[in-house]
Amino acid sequence: MLSEVEVESLAESDLDARSDWLVDADLEAFVESLADTDAELRSESLVEAECDVRADSLVEALCESCLEALAEFEAEVLSEMLIDVDAEA
């Protein structure tokens, strides 16, 4: 049979072991949570960056299209003006 001191010592050892296990489990869960949060933030950041790049590309393409249409319009107007000048001459 165990003495009272041995029983208390075993109880303390068991309590310490359980406490260490809980601390380790909490720390592991915390680290996993941080990793998940970091991955989520990086993912959101990549999505935002991709949206920004796509928006910039769309604006650039739209501007190029507008400039091309303007150039064509100017060419038509100049052509009509030249035709009118030739007709008057």
Side-chain angles (χ1 to χ4, degrees):
M1 192 158 235
L2 296 174
S3 70
E4 187 177 330
V5 172
E6 291 173 321
V7 170
E8 285 179 14
S9 177
L10 283 174
E12 286 177 11
S13 294
D14 184 50
L15 184 59
D16 288 344
R18 288 180 186 208
S19 177
D20 290 345
W21 180 84
L22 286 173
V23 167
D24 289 346
D26 284 346
L27 183 60
E28 187 175 319
F30 178 70
V31 169
E32 287 177 9
S33 175
L34 281 178
D36 290 345
T37 302
D38 184 52
E40 187 177 316
L41 289 174
R42 287 180 186 217
S43 177
E44 289 175 6
S45 187
L46 286 173
V47 168
E48 288 175 10
E50 186 175 338
C51 286
D52 289 345
V53 167
R54 287 184 178 188
D56 290 346
S57 295
L58 287 172
V59 168
E60 188 176 319
L62 182 59
C63 288
E64 286 177 12
S65 176
C66 287
L67 288 174
E68 288 172 5
L70 181 60
E72 288 176 15
F73 176 74
E74 287 178 345
E76 287 177 25
V77 169
L78 285 174
S79 176
E80 288 175 8
M81 289 174 67
L82 288 174
I83 291 172
D84 290 344
V85 169
D86 281 346
E88 291 176 7

